[in-house]
Amino acid sequence: MHLGCCAYSYRDALNAGAMTLSDFLHRCVDMNLDGVELTAYYFTDTSRETLLAVKREAYQLGLDICGAAVGNAFTSPDPAERAKNVQLVKTWVDHSVTLGAPGVRVFAGSLPAGVTEDQAFTWTVESLKECAAYGAEHGVMIALENHGGITSTADQTLRLLDAVDHDWLGINLDLGNYATDPYDQIARTAPHAVTAHAKVSAYTDQLDYDQVIQTLQRVGYRGYLNVEYEAKEDPMAAVPRFVGELQRSLREAWSIPQ
């Protein structure tokens, strides 16, 4: 397993202009991380020149751009809105090719008022099939996050994955997004994870990352654990501390005979 960090962890500083993506990359080097997930929201522009400059700097710093991430939703009852969100994902597939990122994190969406879950499920399956097909054409995985709404539980997330049934769709396993029985639900979705987010806690409960990492090891997961910090403490202090805790858990896991 490799450790990385989501740009989202520093969202306040990035949104305020107090941190640039270049600053973020250097901060990840300071934490001795392996890679970064670059969230779409924090690019001041997405010209080819800008994307290639970020790619070059990450490479020179020894960081993988292990993924991109978009804020989309496929559950709108408006077909034009769903098409707009599919196009957003396709655009970021193209950007991922330029960045050299192997995958794009996507959402399914919330359940709008007046929409049944079966309706939202059908629309999301249609949208994910189109995105996965486009990803396959360009060599970029689509990573569906368990992120509330119609992916609140392992059952819901796996139902979508099974219905789409595409080699280029996997799960971005957000370890902190299951509200109940997190260890059981993590274990059920872990075999389908292509990337993962590490949060300090699952809702209000602190996660035991020794246990989580052992679960991931048992299913042969060798991808990224990307820190996605959302707690209240200043991330400038809290993220490095959390990274240190994960590094310790990984060292101890690697020392245990499998």
Side-chain angles (χ1 to χ4, degrees):
M1 265 175 274
H2 309 280
L3 278 183
C5 188
C6 303
Y8 186 78
S9 296
Y10 293 94
R11 59 197 172 278
D12 290 339
L14 287 162
N15 283 328
M19 174 184 279
T20 65
L21 279 179
S22 178
D23 296 333
F24 169 66
L25 295 178
H26 282 270
R27 189 157 188 84
C28 290
V29 170
D30 292 342
M31 291 185 285
N32 197 30
L33 292 171
D34 302 313
V36 290
E37 181 190 274
L38 299 180
T39 322
Y41 326 139
Y42 309 118
F43 282 81
T44 54
D45 74 85
T46 54
S47 66
R48 182 172 176 81
E49 180 182 19
T50 295
L51 296 177
L52 290 177
V54 172
K55 179 180 181 179
R56 182 191 66 240
E57 185 170 16
Y59 180 71
Q60 289 173 329
L61 291 172
L63 290 168
D64 294 334
I65 299 178
C66 59
V70 296
N72 68 289
F74 297 140
T75 54
S76 171
D78 181 357
E81 185 65 21
R82 296 198 301 274
K84 177 182 174 182
N85 278 266
V86 168
Q87 184 55 52
L88 173 66
V89 173
K90 289 181 177 180
T91 296
W92 272 92
V93 166
D94 294 339
H95 292 339
S96 294
V97 172
T98 304
L99 287 165
V104 177
R105 189 288 319 276
V106 303
F107 299 136
S110 60
L111 191 62
V115 172
T116 69
E117 184 164 345
D118 282 344
Q119 286 175 314
F121 173 83
T122 297
W123 298 330
T124 300
V125 168
E126 292 171 353
S127 300
L128 285 172
K129 283 184 175 180
E130 187 171 347
C131 291
Y134 192 79
E137 292 174 11
H138 295 80
V140 175
M141 287 291 296
I142 305 300
L144 173 65
E145 183 172 322
N146 53 302
H147 185 79
I150 65 167
T151 54
S152 296
T153 68
D155 282 342
Q156 290 172 308
T157 306
L158 292 171
R159 182 186 177 211
L160 282 167
L161 195 72
D162 290 343
V164 176
D165 190 24
H166 200 292
D167 289 343
W168 287 83
L169 176 68
I171 291 175
N172 174 56
L173 176 53
D174 192 304
L175 298 162
N177 275 357
Y178 288 130
T180 59
D181 300 321
Y183 298 106
D184 175 67
Q185 298 207 67
I186 287 168
R188 291 174 57 205
T189 42
H192 307 279
V194 293
T195 188
H197 284 172
K199 287 191 173 77
V200 174
S201 61
Y203 284 72
T204 58
D205 296 328
Q206 193 82 10
L207 280 171
D208 179 350
Y209 270 94
D210 292 339
Q211 179 176 343
V212 169
I213 287 170
Q214 289 170 21
T215 297
L216 294 172
Q217 278 187 317
R218 281 196 294 273
V219 299
Y221 181 74
R222 292 172 54 83
Y224 265 88
L225 282 179
N226 287 310
V227 171
E228 188 179 53
Y229 187 75
E230 294 183 331
K232 293 182 179 179
E233 186 181 349
D234 183 354
M236 300 300 177
V239 172
R241 185 173 65 249
F242 184 37
V243 166
E245 293 169 3
L246 292 174
Q247 288 168 334
R248 176 199 58 77
S249 291
L250 284 170
R251 284 195 303 270
E252 293 184 2
W254 287 331
S255 70
I256 299 172
Q258 299 299 308

